[in-house]
Structure formats: structure tokens, C-alpha cells
Amino acid sequence: MADPDTRDAAPVTPGEFARAMAALDGFEPAPAVAVGLSGGGDSLALVLLLRHWVAERGGSLLALTVDHGLRAGSTDEAAAVGTAMARLGIPHRILRWQGDKPAAGLQAAARTARHRLLADACAEAGILHLALAHHRDDQAETVLLRLARGSGTDGLAGMAAVRADGAVRVIRPLLGFSHGRLLATCRAAGLEWVEDPSNHNPRFARARLRAARDLLGGEGLDGDRLCEVARRAGRARAALEQATADLLAQAAVIHPEGWVTLDPAPVMAAPEEIALRALAQALAAVGGAGPVRDEALERLLGSLADGQGGTLGGCVVRMRRGAVMVAREPAAAVERLLVPPGGRALWDGRFDLQVSHRWERPVEVAALGAAGWRKGAGQGGHSGLSDLPVPVRESLPSLWLGTEMLAIPTIGGAYGFDADGQAPMDRANFRPISPLGRPAFTVVSDRRGII
């Protein structure tokens, strides 16, 4: 989907870029922005444009380069990017993907690792905005890939220009600009960029699509047409998200023990598409699973309408006391963490856990389970545990030393001290894995095709 002759393209002007950033909205008076910098022409152009934009507003810019360690020389390339940033006077950090790499699904795993490393670095630096360099041609390729896979409205809407990733606001201000214009921006500044060989590797679907761009364009399926599809689908997606958020505001209750209940009356009265989306968001908030198959969601919603339920997305879903219970499936809560005295950890993706200083050695955090409940019922100062649904209770975090169950952390509230005021309490706060309702940051759409 790239321009056939990128050398004829005009550089992106500061004024054009400022208008693209204004469409994203939501910036503080002196914005602190991080940018994911691969060293390629697209991300380098984004750094150049952001440098000017933040300087005009008294803000700051941090460039972040992820070294995946997947190619020989990647470490040297990341260091060269750092040297280039030093010449431009832009602070720069290299983030390394540690650990074993999967044999299958490597690109998807690398993308997930990259986003995690970038988000963590932003949180550490106290930066809200993470800018990524996806552009118009990337958007067109995304829509084409999803069209080939039979995606619905959400998939055809392509990449959002603004989305929430935990505490980070991911922005893509270049979706209205072509790859050719970004390279021209680098040339105008006299800067060279690194070409990633995987961009032309026919093993990857995106590379195959780039090779077929002339044929597709000749049939009318060019970048402009595909971005127009994304704009219109994005408008529909935003309307569906708003209707789903309205339903969840009416029907959903988030419980501090890590579960959600839904009032079945408004859910069953809602249009099926909205009810399915609400159920999917509840599953994501509690179980953290990615998108689940439409057929599985439809079966589950039908089962609930019959007063039954099932398991899906790492959750147990069933009717309980007149409400739909969405609870973590105990068999899926398998994470075990060692946390030192006074340490803090995120367990099972759901609980922000603070371990007190009273323990003399590191303790293991694991799901309470049926055996743990029998050993330590009532521990942790939470009087309502016995009234909780069994799946909720058994998937609570608990502290262990070998086979000895030490404590069930107090659920909810601020971190504090025990009843005698002597030692900090073991405490766990539920943090939904995915937002329940509308995303924390608005998805913006305008007539230029920025979604």
C-alpha cells in the first residue's frame, strides 16, 4: 500500500502535524510524550515532528527503542539509533526483550512484548502519551488483512488513533500521512534511516500485500479506498462502543473481590450485538482473554437466556441470585509469584497486591483454591468471604509458605495498618484487566480518515 514513488512525496509540515495532533486532543499544557523509535523512516519522521511540536508547547520528548534481539546486529542498530538521538538532543532509552522467543507466532509475540516494554517505560517515566508511527499505508494494509480474514466492523475500523493501554494513552498521529511523505520528511532533514528486512520478507502477510499493491490498486483497492473503509467502520464502531457503555453503566457492578455481576433484564432487552459486546467486555475485565469467537459468545448468551451459563475466556458465567455472575475460573488462575516482605506485585493480571513486612521471608502468592479455603477460612480480615460465590472465593489471591497457607490479603480499600496499628496489612486491590465500558481515552474520528 506504499506510494509507488516515495521520492516525489512532499515532507509533512509542522502545521499539518499540529493539526493532526489537535484532532487527538487530551494533552496537558506542557505535554510529556514518549515515542516508539525503531530507527526506520516512519518513526524517525515522527520523532522530528514531535520534537518541534513539544518544543513549541514547553513539553518534553523521550525516544524509546525496543531491541528484540531477533536479528544479528540488532543491538548495534539500537545503539546507533541512540547516537542519532544524542545528536538531535533527544533523550533516548533502549528496552530489551529478555527471555526465550517462541518458534511460532513470532511477529505477534514480538509486537506484544514491544507494547509491554514501551508501556512499562512510559509508566516508569510518568509519561501518559506514547506515540507510535503507524501511517496511512499501514492502516490500509491492516484493513486489507482483516478483510481477508472476514473481520466485522471492529476489524475493518483498523487502528485507532487513540486508545488506552493500561495507564498509557497510545496515540497514532500519522494515520493521515503516507509512508512516502514521512521518508521525504527525513530526507528534508538530512537524516538516514534503517530498513527492516522483515518488511520485504514474503513469510509475513504484510510483506506479501506490499508486493501485490500495484495489482490491487489497479482494481480500485488502493490505500485511499481502504482508509475510507476504516473511517466509516470506525464511525460505526464508536456508536456501538457508546451503546455498549450505556448498557454496562445500567447493568454492571464491579465487585472488589475481582468479579462482575450483570442485571439480566437490560442485557436481554438490548439488541443482540450490544448484549454480546457487553458480555465480552465483562469477560475481558475479569478473565483478561483476548477477543473470543462470536459463535462462542452467542452460545453463552443463549445459555444465560435459558437460565444456565458456561465457561468462556477464563471465566465462569452463570445465573446467581437473579444476576449474571462473571467470575474468574479457578482452574485458569494458575499464576504463582514469590514476593518479598513489603513487596508489591500484580497477580493474575487482576490484583494489585501489597505484602506486609511481618513475614520473615518471601511468600508465594497463589489462588486460594478449595484447599486453601478449608485451611484458612476467615483469614485476612474480610468478613464477607464465606458469602462469596465459590469460583470467586477460590480464585482470590492468598499467601503461602510451602504447603502452609499464611493469609488471605484484605480485599479493597487503601493500603494501611492492621487493627493494632502495628504492621502494614497484606492487601489486594482488584484492577480490572480491561476497562469495563467505554475506553478511558476517546477514539477520535474525522473526515480525513483518522480513526
Side-chain angles (χ1 to χ4, degrees):
M1 301 295 112
D3 292 338
D5 185 2
T6 60
R7 290 186 177 276
D8 291 339
V12 179
T13 67
E16 288 177 305
F17 184 72
R19 288 191 290 275
M21 291 292 282
L24 306 183
D25 203 5
F27 296 100
E28 61 270 32
V33 182
V35 56
L37 174 62
S38 67
D42 305 325
S43 60
L44 188 56
L46 179 56
V47 166
L48 292 172
L49 293 163
L50 277 171
R51 181 179 64 160
H52 179 83
W53 186 84
V54 299
E56 281 196 332
R57 289 157 180 79
S60 62
L61 182 63
L62 172 65
L64 300 169
T65 298
V66 176
D67 177 11
H68 293 97
L70 298 177
R71 293 184 289 107
S74 66
T75 299
D76 292 339
E77 290 173 5
V81 172
T83 300
M85 291 300 100
R87 287 197 296 267
L88 293 172
I90 297 173
H92 177 257
R93 280 189 60 195
I94 296 174
L95 313 172
R96 290 188 168 82
W97 184 19
Q98 308 285 359
D100 297 332
K101 311 299 189 293
L106 184 58
Q107 275 207 327
R111 182 168 55 252
T112 298
R114 180 168 62 252
H115 287 180
R116 173 180 54 80
L117 289 166
L118 291 171
D120 289 349
C122 287
E124 183 181 332
I127 294 174
L128 172 62
H129 316 283
L130 170 62
L132 302 180
H134 298 109
H135 48 74
R136 187 199 70 181
D137 305 314
D138 291 328
Q139 182 74 301
E141 290 170 3
T142 297
V143 174
L144 190 59
L145 277 170
R146 293 178 179 176
L147 184 64
R149 294 168 182 166
S151 294
T153 301
D154 286 2
L156 295 181
M159 294 178 286
V162 182
R163 71 173 179 84
D165 185 2
V168 178
R169 181 178 184 253
V170 176
I171 60 173
R172 295 184 176 94
L174 300 181
L175 291 180
F177 304 106
S178 69
H179 176 60
R181 295 198 66 190
L182 299 177
L183 296 189
T185 303
C186 295
R187 289 193 194 97
L191 295 179
E192 297 183 354
W193 57 89
V194 177
E195 290 287 352
D196 185 347
S198 68
N199 289 336
H200 307 286
N201 189 334
R203 288 177 53 205
F204 303 121
R206 284 186 182 270
R208 295 194 296 272
L209 286 176
R210 291 179 190 125
R213 67 177 182 268
D214 291 339
L215 175 62
L216 294 170
E219 296 298 324
L221 205 59
D222 59 11
D224 289 340
R225 182 67 56 83
L226 289 165
C227 285
E228 184 67 8
V229 170
R231 183 187 70 81
R232 289 171 175 163
R235 186 172 58 202
R237 177 176 64 186
L240 291 168
E241 285 179 347
Q242 183 60 60
T244 304
D246 291 344
L247 173 59
L248 287 167
Q250 179 184 4
V253 177
I254 300 176
H255 298 271
E257 301 87 5
W259 57 305
V260 169
T261 51
L262 300 172
D263 182 348
V267 172
M268 298 305 172
E272 185 179 13
E273 175 67 18
I274 305 305
L276 289 168
R277 285 170 175 263
L279 183 57
Q281 287 199 26
L283 291 170
V286 174
V292 293
R293 298 191 314 276
D294 288 344
E295 315 87 77
L297 263 179
E298 290 166 0
R299 285 196 299 270
L300 180 58
L301 185 64
S303 179
L304 289 170
D306 293 335
Q308 301 176 40
T311 59
L312 185 62
C315 295
V316 177
V317 185
R318 65 168 183 249
M319 299 300 300
R320 179 181 185 267
R321 298 180 181 178
V324 176
M325 175 195 76
V326 182
R328 184 72 162 129
E329 186 179 5
V334 296
E335 184 175 29
R336 305 182 79 90
L337 295 176
L338 273 181
V339 182
R344 194 166 181 173
L346 179 66
W347 178 76
D348 195 37
R350 299 180 298 140
F351 282 101
D352 184 7
L353 184 77
Q354 176 74 59
V355 173
S356 78
H357 289 278
R358 61 180 166 148
W359 310 114
E360 297 180 354
R361 65 183 75 178
V363 296
E364 187 173 43
V365 184
L368 179 61
W373 174 248
R374 287 193 297 270
K375 288 183 178 182
Q379 290 195 45
H382 189 79
S383 58
L385 285 182
S386 59
D387 194 46
L388 289 174
V390 171
V392 173
R393 193 171 66 207
E394 293 187 0
S395 61
L396 287 173
S398 57
L399 308 184
W400 296 75
L401 192 59
T403 59
E404 180 186 2
M405 211 282 291
L406 301 176
I408 303 169
T410 301
I411 301 296
Y415 295 119
F417 292 85
D418 62 20
D420 297 327
Q422 298 299 314
M425 294 184 293
D426 303 298
R427 189 173 290 275
N429 282 341
F430 175 48
R431 190 177 78 179
I433 298 174
S434 177
L436 187 62
R438 197 157 176 82
F441 306 112
T442 303
V443 175
V444 181
S445 175
D446 70 14
R447 296 185 180 182
R448 294 182 305 242
I450 300 178
I451 305 300

